Every structure is written in C-alpha cells, then in structure tokens.
C-alpha cells in the first residue's frame, strides 16, 4: 500500500466523494440511497465477539461486488476492467484510512512528535492490522480470488495473503463512503475509531521495553542456546518524515528447537525493533514452554551439583581468605588419566594452587566436574578444608594488620606531604578524652590553615595515646574529599611557581649572554 500521498490528495478524494461525483474513470454513478443501519458482526475479534464493531453496509451492491473481486479473476479484455476489481477502490480507501487515522492520533496524542505519530499510525494502518480486520469480518470467505491463489502456508504466501486481505479492507472502506454520499465518510470514521480503540486505550502508546532482550535471554538462554534477531523483509522508508521503520524477528536455536520464530517487532532502529520482538516473544506460550524446559534442566543440574557437594562460591571464598598482597591462586588442568561418568561423559580434572608468601606453586585442592568451572569449584572447596589454607590465611591476616598499623603510624607524615606548603599549617587539637572499659582514650582533630582555608577541620580520631589518635585523625583526613581539593590547589600553586622560576632562569641566562 502506498503511504506517500499528500494531504491535499486525500482531502480531494473526500471532497469529491461528498459532492456525489462518479467513481473516477467509471461509467457507474454513485447512487443516492437512504442510509441503512449497520449490520451485526458474524465473527469474533481478539477472541471476543462483542468487541468487534458492527460492519457498515455497502449500499451499492455493484460496488460491493467490486470491493471483493481480485483482478486475476477478470478476462482483462478492455481498460474498463480496471473498474471491476478492487484495486482502484483500494487506492481510494487507503487514502481515507490514512487521513482518518492521522486525524485521530493527531488529537489524541498532542505531545507526540511527527515521527512518533508516524510510528503510531503505521501500527494502525499496516497490512497485518487491516488483514486482521478483514479476517475478523469474514472478508476472506466473500473474496473472489483466482484459482490456486496462495494461502497462508509458507512465508511468501502468508505475505501475499496478508496483502490481499489488507487491500480488500481498504476497498471496502472506499465502497462504503462512495455508496453513501451523505453519511458514508462519517460512518466509516466512527467504525474505524471503534476498531482502533483497543490499540489506543489508555491514551498512551505502548512504550518499548529496552530491557526486553535481556529479560528474554534470562528466561530461556543456556549453554549452547542462541537467540537470533533477524531482519524480516526490507525496512519501510517514510520519505516524507525522513525515517526508516525496521522489522526484526526473534528466533531461538536450542532446547530442542531449531531457528524457531518467537516474535516480531518494528522500530525506528534495529535495537528498538529487536526489543519489540523480544517483548512479543515474552508473551508467547511457546516461550513459556521453552522456559519450562530450561528450568527442568537447571533443576537437574543443580541437583547433580548438590549430590557432588559443589560449592559454586568456593573460588570467591578461597580468594577472599588467602588472596592479595602478591599471592596468586592458580587453577590448572591436571594431566591425569581420563575419567568418565557412568553415562560416558568425560570429567574435567583441575588442581587449585597457591603462589606467594613463601609458597611456590603449592597445591591446595583437587576437583573433578562435568565442565572446567565445576571442576575448579570442587578444587577450591577441597582447598578451603585444607589445614595449609588456614595457615596461609593466618599469615595474610598478620600481614594485613601490620600494613594497616603502618599506614596509621605514617598518616601524619603522608598528610603533611600532600597538603603542606609555605605558610600552611596542619595542626592537631584535643577534642575530647574519656574512659572506655577502664582505659583512657583521647580524641584528636586534624585541622588546616592555608591555601585559602582557616582552621578547617579535616578529620577526627580516637586512640590510647594522643599520637595514635592524631594518626587516626590524619587517616580520616586523607580520605576526606576536601583534602583532595586542597591537594589540587597546592599542585596548581607548585606548578605556577615552577614555571615562574623557569622564566626567571631564562631571563637571567639571556642577560648574561
């Protein structure tokens, strides 16, 4: 269907039809018959018969015949045959549908941009939507099509069938308008508004869930399983709006399915279209079925791991216990004789080793598993229970404590190095003293005067002596964002001073020359 006609063309069609003009190029006049009430629907729509609006009747039966006649059923003897198939009516009906849909969404969505309005309109008037309407009203049973016309079996046949059903719907719209020059257009406008109402409910367009792909992957992905997002047909180009509408399909290969279609979506870029496809896939019963298969597999795998007492956090726990400060934990394949399960699956064999703090590639544990990660977790689990690991952990704790103490003891010197300068003072003042568990504790505050600050508090600390409390205060000051700000001021000053000295040396050397 052509969506590129100007608003003037559409307006002209409406104006001409309402002035009781003849069907262009035809000798058939538009009859002036009284308006007949709408007929009742005979087919369900969206599974609910009552949601399908009543179908307006075409008052001119000759036009009704034309609206359902495919050109392939005609002998094509003369040019007048063009008025005996639905193609010309489809052309006009397309224009009516576009102007009515545009008017509805223009007033309904006052904050939408032109591009967003175009996207919304496209969803209302595309072939798939109009074909669904045709099928809901049973137009497929009334259509006169060529023998052996392709139905909706294969992908190409489905597209052809959808196109024809959409065209017949457009032709029907035009025939209703032309057969009732007084009320035809308003009747169609009311009818289409009701048909589109479910798509416009709530006053807001459906938002694209940009996390739908992630949600779909979480729901059905697994080892060896692939979710593919593939282009479905050529993108639709809207030259007037300067935009391209992409259509993408979501497919899965895995869990017993091979390139199985899960959903389709459209969007102004491929990522948006892919997320729309994933959103549709998430609502499909087939996706729930695939998710159930995945859950069964995950449950079985978890039970097998429990049977083997696999601690999946063992590696993290081992690293936290003994890692750091020059210590490396290595997981290496063990070149041993192959081992197989009763089902004939080969097991991976991995050793956990430590290097550092006096140990040179010392093995702490060994594990087997159906994959290398599982085998590594088994090795780490065994290592956690090894007395040697406890010995290494004790050495790590002693070193960490010593390092922390050294940092505190040197905190005052570090703070002075960071922020001291000419006429800058860092001083430590008593803030409090108190007794805790029978021991006197001192509280000291670290302050600075200089670099534009006057008696500015940087940190406080407690200790069993004033020296210890002062170092704790300096430690807190080193972590204070204000200290970083002061350091930046000092660095700028030092850089400026260095440049001035360099310039002075250059001038002095020039004078000597």
């Amino acid at each position: 269907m052509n969506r590129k006609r100007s608003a003037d063309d559409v307006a002209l069609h409406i104006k001409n039809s309402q002035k009781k003009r003849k069907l262009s190029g035809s000798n058939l006049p538009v009859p002036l018959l009284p308006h007949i009430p709408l007929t009742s629907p005979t087919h369900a729509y969206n599974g609910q018969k009552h949601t399908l609006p009543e179908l307006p009747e075409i008052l001119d039966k000759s036009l009704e015949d034309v609206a359902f006649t495919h050109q392939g059923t005609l002998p094509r003897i003369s040019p007048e045959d063009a008025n005996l198939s639905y193609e010309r009516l489809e052309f006009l009906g397309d224009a009516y549908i576009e102007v009515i849909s545009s008017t509805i969404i223009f007033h309904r969505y006052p904050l939408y941009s032109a591009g967003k309005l175009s996207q919304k309109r496209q969803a209302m008037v595309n072939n798939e939507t109009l074909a669904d309407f045709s099928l809901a009203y049973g137009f497929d049973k009334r259509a006169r099509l060529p023998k052996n016309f392709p139905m909706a079996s294969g992908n190409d046949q489905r597209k052809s069938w959808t196109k024809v059903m959409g065209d017949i719907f457009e032709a029907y719209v035009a025939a209703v308008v032309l057969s009732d020059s007084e009320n035809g257009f308003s009747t169609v406008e009311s009818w289409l508004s009701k048909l589109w109402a479910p798509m416009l409910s709530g006053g807001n367009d459906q938002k694209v869930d940009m996390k739908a792909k992630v949600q779909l992957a979480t729901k059905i992905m697994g080892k060896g399983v692939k979710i593919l997002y593939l282009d479905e047909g050529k993108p639709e180009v809207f030259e007037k709006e300067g935009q391209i509408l992409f259509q993408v399909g979501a497919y899965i290969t895995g869990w017993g399915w091979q390139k199985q279609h899960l959903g389709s979506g459209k969007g102004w870029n491929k990522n948006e279209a892919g997320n729309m496809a994933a959103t549709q896939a998430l609502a499909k019963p087939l996706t729930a079925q695939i998710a159930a298969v995945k859950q069964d597999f995950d449950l079985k795998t978890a039970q097998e791991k429990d049977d083997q007492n696999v601690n999946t956090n063992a590696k993290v726990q081992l690293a936290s216990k003994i890692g750091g400060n020059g210590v490396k934990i290595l997981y290496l394949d063990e070149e041993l004789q192959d081992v197989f399960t009763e089902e004939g699956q080969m097991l991976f064999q991995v050793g956990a080793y430590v290097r550092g703090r006096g140990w040179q590639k010392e093995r702490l544990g060994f594990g087997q598993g159906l994959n290398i990660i599982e085998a590594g977790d088994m090795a780490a689990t065994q290592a956690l229970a090894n007395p040697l690991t406890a010995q290494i952990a004790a050495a790590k704790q002693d070193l960490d404590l010593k390092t922390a103490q050294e940092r505190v003891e040197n905190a005052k010197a570090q703070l002075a190095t960071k922020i001291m300068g000419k006429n800058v003072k860092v001083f430590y003042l008593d803030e409090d003293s108190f007794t805790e568990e029978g021991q006197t504790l001192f509280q000291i505050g670290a302050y600075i005067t200089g670099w534009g600050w006057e008696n500015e508090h940087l940190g406080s600390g407690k200790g069993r002596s004033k020296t210890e409390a002062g170092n704790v205060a300096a430690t807190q000051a080193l972590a204070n964002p204000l200290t970083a700000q002061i350091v930046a001021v000092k660095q700028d000053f030092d850089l400026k001073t260095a440049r001035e000295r360099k310039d002075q040396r250059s001038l002095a050397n020039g004078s000597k020359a």
Side-chain angles (χ1 to χ4, degrees):
M1 293 178 288
N2 186 357
R3 303 288 176 209
K4 301 174 184 176
R5 304 184 191 95
S6 68
D8 292 340
D9 294 332
V10 176
L12 182 60
H13 282 305
I14 298 171
K15 181 179 180 181
N16 289 344
S17 66
Q18 292 178 333
K19 286 186 175 180
K20 310 175 186 178
R21 295 187 60 178
K22 298 179 180 180
L23 182 61
S24 179
S26 171
N27 294 322
L28 297 174
V30 177
L32 302 178
L33 298 177
H35 181 61
I36 298 176
L38 303 178
T39 59
S40 299
T42 58
H43 293 73
Y45 176 56
N46 286 341
Q48 300 293 328
K49 184 175 180 179
H50 68 274
T51 64
L52 187 65
E54 291 180 311
L55 179 68
E57 187 175 1
I58 300 174
L59 304 184
D60 183 348
K61 295 307 176 183
S62 62
L63 281 179
E64 183 174 6
D65 290 340
V66 171
F68 288 101
T69 301
H70 190 280
Q71 191 173 21
T73 63
L74 303 176
R76 302 183 184 180
I77 297 175
S78 63
E80 285 74 14
D81 288 340
N83 289 314
L84 300 179
S85 74
Y86 61 68
E87 289 191 357
R88 285 174 56 81
L89 286 176
E90 176 264 324
F91 169 83
L92 182 57
D94 176 37
Y96 284 129
I97 289 171
E98 182 159 329
V99 75
I100 292 172
S101 62
S102 298
T103 303
I104 291 173
I105 61 176
F106 180 83
H107 293 292
R108 191 177 187 89
Y109 303 105
L111 301 181
Y112 273 18
S113 65
K116 191 68 174 176
L117 289 172
S118 297
Q119 185 180 16
K120 185 62 181 175
R121 182 180 63 196
Q122 175 61 18
M124 297 166 64
V125 304
N126 63 34
N127 276 327
E128 288 80 4
T129 300
L130 301 186
D132 283 344
F133 293 159
S134 280
L135 295 174
Y137 283 108
F139 286 0
D140 55 322
K141 297 178 176 60
R142 300 170 65 180
R144 287 186 290 277
L145 305 174
K147 293 182 179 180
N148 302 321
F149 184 83
M151 297 302 179
S153 55
N155 189 44
D156 291 340
Q157 289 87 344
R158 182 181 65 84
K159 289 182 179 179
S160 179
W161 175 251
T162 300
K163 173 71 165 59
V164 167
M165 288 296 101
D167 290 348
I168 288 178
F169 185 85
E170 292 174 330
Y172 194 93
V173 166
V176 171
V177 175
L178 293 174
S179 68
D180 185 356
S181 60
E182 295 296 330
N183 302 303
F185 183 80
S186 60
T187 298
V188 164
E189 187 174 31
S190 175
W191 172 47
L192 293 179
S193 297
K194 294 175 184 177
L195 266 179
W196 284 323
M199 304 176 68
L200 306 173
S201 61
N204 289 305
D205 198 7
Q206 180 185 5
K207 294 182 178 179
V208 180
D209 184 356
M210 298 308 289
K211 295 182 179 180
K213 286 184 179 180
V214 176
Q215 295 171 14
L216 182 62
T218 302
K219 193 168 187 175
I220 63 176
M221 277 291 285
K223 186 177 180 181
V225 177
K226 293 182 179 180
I227 298 177
L228 309 173
Y229 292 91
L230 307 176
D231 292 338
E232 293 186 331
K234 294 181 179 180
E236 297 182 54
V237 179
F238 295 84
E239 294 180 356
K240 184 176 180 180
E241 295 84 4
Q243 291 184 303
I244 300 176
L245 190 67
F246 296 89
Q247 178 163 329
V248 170
Y251 298 80
I252 185 173
T253 292
W255 305 121
W257 282 269
Q258 186 68 29
K259 203 174 181 181
Q260 176 67 45
H261 178 264
L262 297 178
S264 297
K266 293 184 177 182
W268 298 116
N269 56 62
K270 288 190 176 182
N271 187 39
E272 182 178 304
N275 276 296
M276 288 296 289
T279 299
Q280 188 181 95
L282 286 166
K284 284 285 185 72
L286 177 59
T287 304
Q289 183 181 346
I290 296 170
V293 173
K294 176 183 183 294
Q295 289 174 349
D296 290 342
F297 176 83
D298 291 344
L299 180 60
K300 181 180 178 182
T301 302
Q303 289 173 343
E304 290 174 350
K305 287 184 177 180
D306 288 341
D307 293 340
Q308 297 175 12
N309 296 319
V310 178
N311 179 2
T312 55
N313 293 320
K315 289 182 180 179
V316 176
Q317 294 171 7
L318 184 61
S320 177
K321 193 167 188 176
I322 65 174
N325 293 325
V327 173
K328 291 184 178 181
I329 301 173
L330 311 173
Y331 292 91
L332 306 176
D333 292 337
E334 300 283 25
E335 296 181 359
L336 303 173
Q337 184 177 355
D338 291 343
V339 178
F340 296 87
T341 65
E342 294 180 357
E343 292 80 14
Q345 292 179 288
M346 188 177 76
L347 294 175
F348 290 84
Q349 302 179 85
V350 171
Y353 294 82
V354 64
R355 177 182 293 164
R357 294 204 192 100
W359 283 274
Q360 292 296 327
K361 199 178 177 182
E362 186 74 28
R363 192 167 91 166
L364 300 176
F366 170 78
Q368 297 176 332
L370 295 174
N371 55 63
I372 198 166
I373 295 176
E374 185 178 297
D377 285 330
M378 287 295 291
T381 301
Q382 190 181 96
L384 286 167
N386 191 334
L388 178 58
T389 303
Q391 183 180 346
I392 298 171
K396 176 180 183 290
Q397 289 176 347
D398 290 341
L399 180 61
D400 291 346
L401 180 60
K402 182 180 178 182
T403 303
Q405 290 173 341
E406 290 175 350
R407 286 176 180 170
V408 172
E409 291 171 359
N410 296 325
K412 283 186 177 181
Q414 294 173 23
L415 182 61
T417 302
K418 271 183 172 286
I419 62 177
M420 280 292 288
K422 188 177 180 179
N423 299 324
V424 176
K425 292 182 180 180
V426 177
F427 50 95
Y428 297 87
L429 303 178
D430 293 340
E431 292 182 336
D432 199 2
S433 64
F434 49 91
T435 301
E436 190 175 282
E437 295 181 358
Q439 190 173 20
T440 301
L441 294 178
F442 298 90
Q443 181 169 315
I444 300 292
Y447 296 81
I448 185 175
T449 290
W451 305 121
W453 282 269
E454 185 71 27
N455 296 332
E456 184 70 36
H457 179 264
L458 297 177
S460 296
K462 298 176 183 178
R464 289 168 293 184
S465 67
K466 289 187 177 182
T467 300
E468 182 181 326
N471 276 304
V472 175
T475 300
Q476 188 182 92
L478 286 167
N480 191 337
L482 177 59
T483 303
Q485 186 178 346
I486 296 171
V487 169
V489 173
K490 177 181 182 294
Q491 289 175 342
D492 289 343
F493 177 82
D494 291 344
L495 181 60
K496 180 180 178 181
T497 302
R499 287 175 178 170
E500 289 175 351
R501 288 175 180 172
K502 184 179 179 181
D503 293 341
Q504 290 173 0
R505 285 196 299 268
S506 297
L507 289 173
N509 293 334
S511 298
K512 291 179 181 180

